[in-house]
Amino acid sequence: MSRSRTIWHLPALCLCLCLVGVSLWAMGVGAAPIPMWTVAETLLDPSDTRETLIVWTVRLPRVLAAITVGGALAVAGAIMQAATNNPLADPGLLGVNAGAAFAVVVLIVVLGPNAGIGVLVWAAFGGAAVAAVLVYGLGAMGRSGPTPIKLVLAGVVIGTFLAVLTMSILVVDGKTLDTVRLWTAGSLRGRVLSDVLLVVPYIALGLILAMMFRDQFTSLSLGTDVAQGLGQNPALWRAVSAGIVVLLAGGSVAIAGPLGFVGLVVPHMARLTIGADYRSILPLALVGGGLLTLLADVLPRALWGNDVPVGISLALVGAPFFIWLARRNLGPAS
């Protein structure tokens, strides 16, 4: 652990510098290209110009949303992997995102398309919490308890069921479908600064709690027997972990829809880089998640001129990684 504490600062610093550079570049990419130095000047000294209007009202909110959502989902995935001792845990794969998305869609049907994000975020929290309880309860059935493969299967079952229910509602209700069509694919298009700022306090609370309890997550990741030997109450800290994940995943879904694979890919990359100490993994996952999501959002626009939903871009990266990870961690004995 001491080694990881001494080496994680350099990767984190490099990622932060990359994140700043990519953010400035992303705010210049679009139908009206803006040079990076102009973007920087606009941010430091806003003026009554066309560039200022584009950067502050369209592109800055989208960049902030990508960084916030990506960092939150990466930290949530790392916590879930520690709490369940499951290398395949992720808010998307374990059905948490699907639960939040289902609850948001139901509330939009009830309240109409003008439902504010300040209300929708509470629906996302509730849906995420219910889905997490259902997945863990189903995965814990049987004598062997909540094994990694059973939790993944339970997450697939619950997540698929909730996704089918969500799509059924959207097929029947055309107005709701028009409202959330891009959002259900995981999109940051059209986000405004006020919506992002409404959700940021909840995500910030989740991140603060996650950083405060990093030692506890390290103990959980070592397994129930080791955690108990270190004087920890695993059941209590799994419940705390679930609450933090609900804050992070629910807030993220309220902003960007059900994004997958960020919480799977980034924590593993952090673990391969600096080891298994969560005092190092969580800060690295926070920055790395924001950077990955921002790149997934901006690269299709920069390379092909198409505004592809970020959820699709992340799936193209995450699906092959998941296959590799499953083959690496789940052998015949599992």
Side-chain angles (χ1 to χ4, degrees), residues 46-141:
S47 57
D48 190 14
T49 63
R50 176 171 171 268
E51 288 78 9
T52 298
L53 181 65
I54 293 173
V55 169
W56 280 89
T57 62
V58 179
R59 296 180 184 171
L60 176 61
R62 184 164 182 165
V63 167
L64 291 178
I67 295 172
T68 301
V69 168
L73 289 176
V75 171
I79 293 173
M80 292 182 76
Q81 290 165 18
T84 62
N85 198 22
N86 180 358
L88 302 179
D90 163 80
L93 291 173
L94 294 190
V96 176
N97 287 352
F102 173 71
V104 168
V105 168
V106 169
L107 194 62
I108 291 175
V109 171
V110 174
L111 299 181
N114 294 323
I117 194 168
V119 177
L120 296 179
V121 68
W122 289 104
F125 291 151
V130 171
V133 171
L134 290 175
V135 169
Y136 193 83
L138 183 60
M141 289 182 177

Side-chain angles (χ1 to χ4, degrees), residues 25-26 28-33 59 62 189 295-309 313:
W25 171 61
V29 174
R59 296 180 184 171
R62 184 164 182 165
R189 184 176 180 179
L295 284 171
D297 184 49
V298 72
L299 280 177
R301 287 183 283 132
L303 297 177
W304 304 297
N306 293 323
D307 195 352
V308 178
S313 303

Side-chain angles (χ1 to χ4, degrees), residues 262-323:
V262 180
L264 177 71
V265 174
V266 177
H268 277 281
M269 297 306 296
R271 196 173 291 111
L272 290 172
T273 302
I274 46 81
D277 188 348
Y278 273 75
R279 287 173 291 185
S280 305
I281 288 175
L282 292 189
L284 208 60
L286 175 61
V287 184
L291 180 60
L292 175 63
T293 305
L294 183 57
L295 284 171
D297 184 49
V298 72
L299 280 177
R301 287 183 283 132
L303 297 177
W304 304 297
N306 293 323
D307 195 352
V308 178
V310 67
I312 296 175
S313 303
L314 288 170
L316 294 176
V317 175
F321 186 89
F322 174 73
I323 294 171

